[in-house]
Amino acid sequence: VNKHHFSKMSSINTETGEYNGNEGRSPRFASWVFFLMCSVITLKASVEVRNDMSDPNAASHWAVTCSAITFTVTALVALLHLAPAYSALIIGSKIEGLIILILAGFWAATVSIVSNTTNELGTVRSDSNEVQNGNLYYFSWAGFATSIQLIVSYLKSSFGIDVLEEVNGRGARLMHWAGMLTASLVVMGSSARILNEDCNVTERQFSDSYCARTKMGVSLGTIGVGFAIVVVGMKLLRKTPPFTLEFSLACILTLLNAFGVAYITSNSGPGRAIGNLYYSSWISFLLAVFLAVDCFNKTSKKPEGSTATASKAEDADVPVENLDEEQAQI
């Protein structure tokens, strides 16, 4: 296997005579390079934030440690991709899979820590309208998304498991319902944290309207999670939910999230700050609209066999006697 892999990487195009060093290279090479870039930016930003703190907390140390480890590992993997003699040791191997899995766990924890306003890393408290450190906030999320993409790519190339195709095969709109579940979880969790930090305190500094909108976010997130679990669970079990039920849930979520995004992200709402609650509120609304529109389009489409049936009927109306007369004349 290694010899074949090496021969593919060192192949020469017989028509042009050009050396094709990229042939056989892992399809994840670009993702590894982007992951390296995310880790470099996150490392630099987290070091700066930690140095600006008079008393650095444990979260800042974790952000620096995680990004430093990721930088070291991704740089090594990227270099191995550039060396045909050693790339076979890592590409598609169990070692690569283990590395990706560990880094995904690291970055899941990093995103959670950076997005937590109490840690004062990537975001500030909810009464502000600013992200404290854009590079740390956005590139920590980008790094986490890249780690998930690496997992999907590794499963497809090493085990032949096409995650996206498998998910789509379980039922229409499953990916979008899964996205709704994720976004609703973020809305619920972020709203609950803000409610606990800003409203459930002895000396509250926020208005009753602010806290009421925060409770609305918790309620909307909980409802979205419940509806999405019902649909996703039935689709994963290959028990297709009744179309009327799915359409109804999508319409209800569209209506609720329309009010939710208006109140939560308004100037008096907890989601006015650019952060997890702001983005997840809008994503939930847009996904709900898409699901409702897609279900509506399915109801308005004509049956696929209607055109074919009509054409067959037209063909069947041709008189046989006329054909016999024409043949006789010929």
Side-chain angles (χ1 to χ4, degrees), residues 116-166:
N116 192 336
T117 56
T118 58
N119 295 325
E120 299 180 352
L121 293 177
T123 57
V124 294
R125 294 188 63 82
S126 53
D127 56 339
S128 173
N129 197 32
E130 298 177 353
V131 171
Q132 179 169 309
N133 193 306
N135 286 342
L136 184 55
Y137 177 80
Y138 290 109
F139 280 95
S140 61
W141 274 106
F144 174 66
T146 305
S147 68
I148 299 301
Q149 190 273 332
L150 284 170
I151 291 177
V152 173
S153 176
Y154 176 79
L155 290 175
K156 182 177 181 180
S157 63
S158 298
F159 298 98
I161 302 175
D162 192 332
V163 177
L164 296 179
E165 183 178 350
E166 178 67 20

Side-chain angles (χ1 to χ4, degrees), residues 186-325:
V186 176
V187 171
M188 181 180 65
S190 298
S191 299
R193 176 182 52 78
I194 293 173
L195 183 66
N196 184 59
E197 293 177 1
D198 298 340
C199 298
N200 296 338
V201 292
T202 305
E203 298 180 358
R204 194 171 68 183
Q205 301 178 356
F206 298 90
S207 64
D208 293 336
S209 175
Y210 175 88
C211 293
R213 294 168 191 241
T214 304
K215 292 178 181 179
M216 182 182 186
V218 176
S219 300
L220 284 178
T222 304
I223 293 173
V225 169
F227 284 5
I229 286 178
V230 171
V231 178
V232 171
M234 295 183 72
K235 288 180 180 289
L236 289 178
L237 294 174
R238 295 190 182 278
K239 295 181 180 179
T240 305
F243 182 78
T244 304
L245 172 63
E246 184 178 357
F247 191 14
S248 300
L249 294 180
C251 291
I252 294 173
L253 286 177
T254 300
L255 181 62
L256 292 178
N257 281 284
F259 284 101
V261 78
Y263 283 95
I264 294 174
T265 63
S266 67
N267 191 51
S268 301
R272 69 177 184 269
I274 302 298
N276 290 350
L277 184 56
Y278 176 86
Y279 289 121
S280 58
S281 297
W282 276 106
I283 291 174
S284 296
F285 171 66
L286 294 176
L287 284 174
V289 171
F290 174 86
L291 288 168
V293 171
D294 190 65
C295 289
F296 176 77
N297 289 336
K298 299 299 181 183
T299 61
S300 59
K301 282 185 178 180
K302 295 181 180 180
E304 294 180 357
S306 60
T307 304
T309 304
S311 61
K312 289 181 180 179
E314 293 175 359
D315 294 340
D317 291 336
V318 178
V320 178
E321 293 80 7
N322 293 346
L323 292 176
D324 293 337
E325 292 176 3

Side-chain angles (χ1 to χ4, degrees), residues 10-20 23:
S10 58
S11 61
I12 298 177
N13 191 320
T14 55
E15 295 182 358
T16 63
E18 296 178 348
Y19 173 74
N20 190 3
E23 185 179 350

